[in-house]
Amino acid sequence: MAPRGELFLPALLWLPASSVAQDWPGWRGAEGDGVADSTGWVPQGTRLWSRNVGLGHSCASVVGERLYTLGFDVEKGLDTVFCLAADTGATLWSTSYHGVQRAVDYHDGGTLSTPTVAGERVFVTSSAGWLRALDAASGE
């Protein structure tokens, strides 16, 4: 079991290979309604991988073969944006910047926002309140 507030990102395979998968570019999906239009769901799922990405409650956004999420490193005081291979969890890139640990009554003080992918950009809000636009391919 993960320590309280530790953000573990379990990736579950819900769709068989022959199914059509829909991008999930931000919180609550493509239409912002929390509904996935993909077909061929497998109710029990299969765990593909799991990663510890730091403290927080950020959701994942998935576009194509890439998964984007955020985590906070308490010891270094850094927020980190992760771009991971959706099928393996391998790090494709990560970008860190100064973050602020909020009071523990706010989701244990870690990240709260979910990356939003729009075109060639990934938009993130830091724990300090800064909006950043990153290149989706490189993290710059």
Side-chain angles (χ1 to χ4, degrees):
M1 176 148 234
R4 187 167 174 250
E6 198 83 11
L7 180 61
F8 277 88
L9 192 62
L12 301 177
L13 175 63
W14 295 100
L15 304 173
S18 63
S19 295
V20 176
Q22 175 186 15
D23 286 344
W24 197 266
W27 188 71
R28 294 183 53 81
E31 302 300 322
D33 58 5
V35 175
D37 291 330
S38 300
T39 60
W41 288 89
V42 178
Q44 69 279 7
T46 302
R47 181 179 286 216
L48 291 178
W49 52 268
S50 178
R51 286 280 304 268
N52 180 349
V53 294
L55 184 68
H57 289 266
S58 298
C59 295
S61 297
V62 180
V63 174
E65 304 293 321
R66 293 172 175 243
L67 181 148
Y68 303 88
T69 195
L70 296 168
F72 179 69
D73 185 320
V74 176
E75 291 179 15
K76 295 179 181 176
L78 296 174
D79 286 338
T80 301
V81 181
F82 292 91
C83 175
L84 308 173
D87 59 348
T88 65
T91 301
L92 301 175
W93 58 259
S94 65
T95 299
S96 298
Y97 44 83
H98 174 73
V100 176
Q101 185 175 12
R102 300 291 180 191
V104 293
D105 55 336
Y106 295 109
H107 304 288
D108 297 318
T111 58
L112 298 175
S113 64
T114 298
T116 299
V117 183
E120 302 299 315
R121 298 278 181 251
V122 178
F123 297 91
V124 296
T125 307
S126 74
S127 58
W130 290 96
L131 176 65
R132 286 177 162 68
L134 306 173
D135 181 76
S138 69
E140 294 181 15

